[in-house]
Amino acid sequence: QVQPVESGGGLVQAGGSLRLSCVAAGRTFSSYAMGWFRETPGEEREFVAAVNWNGERTYYADSVKGRFTISREHAENTVYLQMNSLKPEDTAVYFCAASMYGSPTFRREDYAYWGQGTQVTVSS
């Protein structure tokens, strides 16, 4: 079992950067793909980015491609989301999730373990 815990959210001006971290306690961290999703009030939780079990393959939503980078450090049981060139429409609660599979996917139902979320607010 894996329990993700996010950190690194905050308030930033448009054009700025933030790095989110997700520590996923559990001895099987290295076996699973990891993903980031985000949610705004009244909207469904949407896929942002995912990385496969060994960090060699990544997958991004079109809306963040070229601006966000997902990576993982097995020694630290941590997944990162580097967010650059932030826009007001990136404002959301960001969730880290551990997949049931080794390959990265965009489907919420493929992720079994979820963190509590961290707020990211981008001002214009």
Side-chain angles (χ1 to χ4, degrees), residues 32-50:
Y32 298 121
M34 298 293 294
W36 286 95
F37 289 74
R38 65 188 182 186
E39 186 176 310
T40 55
E43 300 291 330
E44 288 193 0
R45 192 169 298 186
E46 67 172 4
F47 170 77
V48 175

Side-chain angles (χ1 to χ4, degrees), residues 2 4 32-37 45-53 57-60 70 72 79 95-115:
V2 177
Y32 298 121
M34 298 293 294
W36 286 95
F37 289 74
R45 192 169 298 186
E46 67 172 4
F47 170 77
V48 175
V51 60
N52 79 323
W53 68 276
R57 284 190 292 138
T58 56
Y59 188 24
Y60 296 95
I70 187 171
R72 67 190 298 166
V79 178
F95 295 89
C96 176
S99 173
M100 295 180 284
Y101 310 105
S103 296
T105 74
F106 62 88
R107 294 184 296 267
R108 283 183 301 167
E109 57 267 32
D110 290 342
Y111 293 81
Y113 305 104
W114 293 83

